[in-house]
Amino acid sequence: MKFIVTKNYEEMSKAGADIIIEQIKSKSSSVLGLATGGTPVGMYKHLVEAYNKGLDFSKIVTFNLDEYVGLKPDNPQSYRYYMDKNLFNNVNINKDNIHIPSGISGNIDKECEEYDESISKMGGIDLQVLGIGRNGHIGFNEPGDTLKVKTHVAKLSQNTIKANSRFFNKIEDVPTSAVTMGLGSIMKSKKILLLASGSSKAQAIAKIAEPIIDLKVPASLLQLHPNVVVILDEGAASMLNLK
Ligand code: GLP
C-alpha cells in the first residue's frame, strides 16, 4: 500500500485525477470502477477539465460501486444522478458503457448476479476508485463479523446513515440499504486508488496502515492487494504512523 500525503483537498483531488488520466492515456478502453460521496467531487472536476483539453472517454467502461435501494435514477440523492452530474454528462462517455447498480430493480438478487457477470465479461476492473467511510467501510461493505465477496444488498450502519445524512433534507430520508459491489470485485481490480480527506477519516486511515486485517475496518483488507495507492490530505493523514 502506497500512501501519498498532499497538503489539502485540492491537491488530493488533482493527484487522484492524474492517476486516472494516466490510466486512460495508457489504455483508452480502460474499465474504471467509480465511487461517489463528497470526496471524489474535486477529482471528477479535474477529469472533466482533462476532457475539455482533449482526453477521450469514448471507449471507457465504468462500473460504479453502489446505489441506494429505493432511489430512482432521477432522484438527486441517487448515485446515478451524482455520476451524471459530476462526470458522465460532461465527458464523451458512451452511455452504453456506464454501469451502476439499480436501486429499484424488481429482482435485486438477479441484478446483483448480473452485475458481477458483466464486470467479469469486461475483463475485470483496471482501476478502482474508492472513498472510505468514517468507520472504514468501502462501497457499502460495512464493518461486521463477515464480509461479502459478491455484489449484494447491504444494510447501512447507523454510523453511515448519520454520516450520509448531510446530503439529505433529514436523516429519515436516508435509505437504510444499498446495492454494493462486494470485496471480491474490488480486490480483483488490477489497481486501486483510495482517496480520503479531512480529520473525520483520520482514524480509519490510521487503522488501514496497521498490518492487521480487521473485519471491523473493511478497508484494512486492501493491505492484501498488491497495487493500492492511498491519497490523503493532511487532515486524513493526521493520525497516520508510517514506519
Ligand atoms: C458512502 C459511499 C462510499 C463512500 C463513503 C464516504 O457511504 N458508499 O463509497 O466512500 O460514503 O463518503 P464521503 O466521501 O462523502 O465521505
Side-chain angles (χ1 to χ4, degrees):
M1 228 180 207
K2 184 176 164 196
F3 288 88
I4 299 175
V5 182
T6 63
K7 261 206 189 75
N8 51 35
Y9 179 79
E10 171 51 25
E11 282 191 13
M12 177 208 72
S13 304
K14 173 84 172 52
D18 284 346
I19 290 179
I20 301 180
I21 293 166
E22 271 318 302
Q23 173 68 40
I24 297 177
K25 282 186 179 161
S26 68
K27 184 180 173 193
S28 60
S29 61
S30 289
V31 180
L32 302 179
L34 297 178
T36 52
T39 310
V41 170
M43 182 195 75
Y44 289 134
K45 275 202 186 111
H46 283 288
L47 291 185
V48 173
E49 264 170 37
Y51 162 71
N52 287 329
K53 288 184 189 150
L55 188 69
D56 181 19
F57 284 77
S58 63
K59 296 201 201 82
I60 292 298
V61 175
T62 63
F63 286 91
N64 263 78
L65 275 170
D66 44 22
E67 179 60 285
Y68 287 116
V69 168
L71 299 194
K72 292 190 186 142
D74 62 356
N75 183 315
Q77 307 309 334
S78 75
Y79 286 163
R80 173 68 209 216
Y81 190 97
Y82 169 107
M83 287 307 303
D84 285 343
K85 180 173 155 216
N86 288 295
L87 184 67
F88 299 148
N89 285 347
N90 309 319
V91 297
N92 66 333
I93 192 162
N94 177 345
K95 302 275 168 193
D96 294 338
N97 291 346
I98 295 171
H99 305 84
I100 301 191
S102 164
I104 51 163
S105 161
N107 188 343
I108 226 153
D109 291 339
K110 184 160 171 271
E111 184 201 313
C112 290
E113 214 171 287
E114 287 173 355
Y115 203 69
D116 288 331
E117 279 166 15
S118 10
I119 296 175
S120 300
K121 260 190 221 146
M122 294 312 303
I125 293 168
D126 290 307
L127 173 62
Q128 174 68 56
V129 180
L130 297 174
I132 185 168
R134 295 170 196 193
N135 60 3
H137 75 244
I138 44 179
F140 273 121
N141 293 280
E142 296 276 31
D145 295 331
T146 57
L147 291 174
K148 292 208 169 127
V149 173
K150 297 188 168 178
T151 299
H152 61 282
V153 177
K155 199 172 168 316
L156 309 196
S157 67
Q158 275 313 311
N159 183 310
T160 298
I161 290 176
K162 199 167 161 230
N164 291 3
S165 67
R166 71 191 195 279
F167 298 114
F168 291 79
N169 287 333
K170 49 184 192 312
I171 195 162
E172 293 75 28
D173 292 347
V174 185
T176 53
S177 59
V179 181
T180 181
M181 252 186 222
L183 269 309
S185 310
I186 296 173
M187 290 295 284
K188 273 190 242 156
S189 309
K190 293 172 191 91
K191 182 168 182 169
I192 295 176
L193 166 62
L194 187 147
L195 301 180
S197 162
S199 54
S200 67
K201 304 291 172 71
Q203 207 167 7
I205 292 298
K207 286 253 172 81
I208 68 167
E210 277 174 29
I212 293 169
I213 306 300
D214 182 351
L215 300 190
K216 302 276 182 300
V217 185
S220 66
L221 202 72
L222 297 175
Q223 293 180 80
L224 300 180
H225 191 284
N227 197 353
V228 181
V229 180
V230 180
I231 304 184
L232 308 168
D233 65 5
E234 284 182 349
S238 58
M239 291 168 82
L240 199 58
N241 183 13
L242 291 178
K243 300 213 172 76

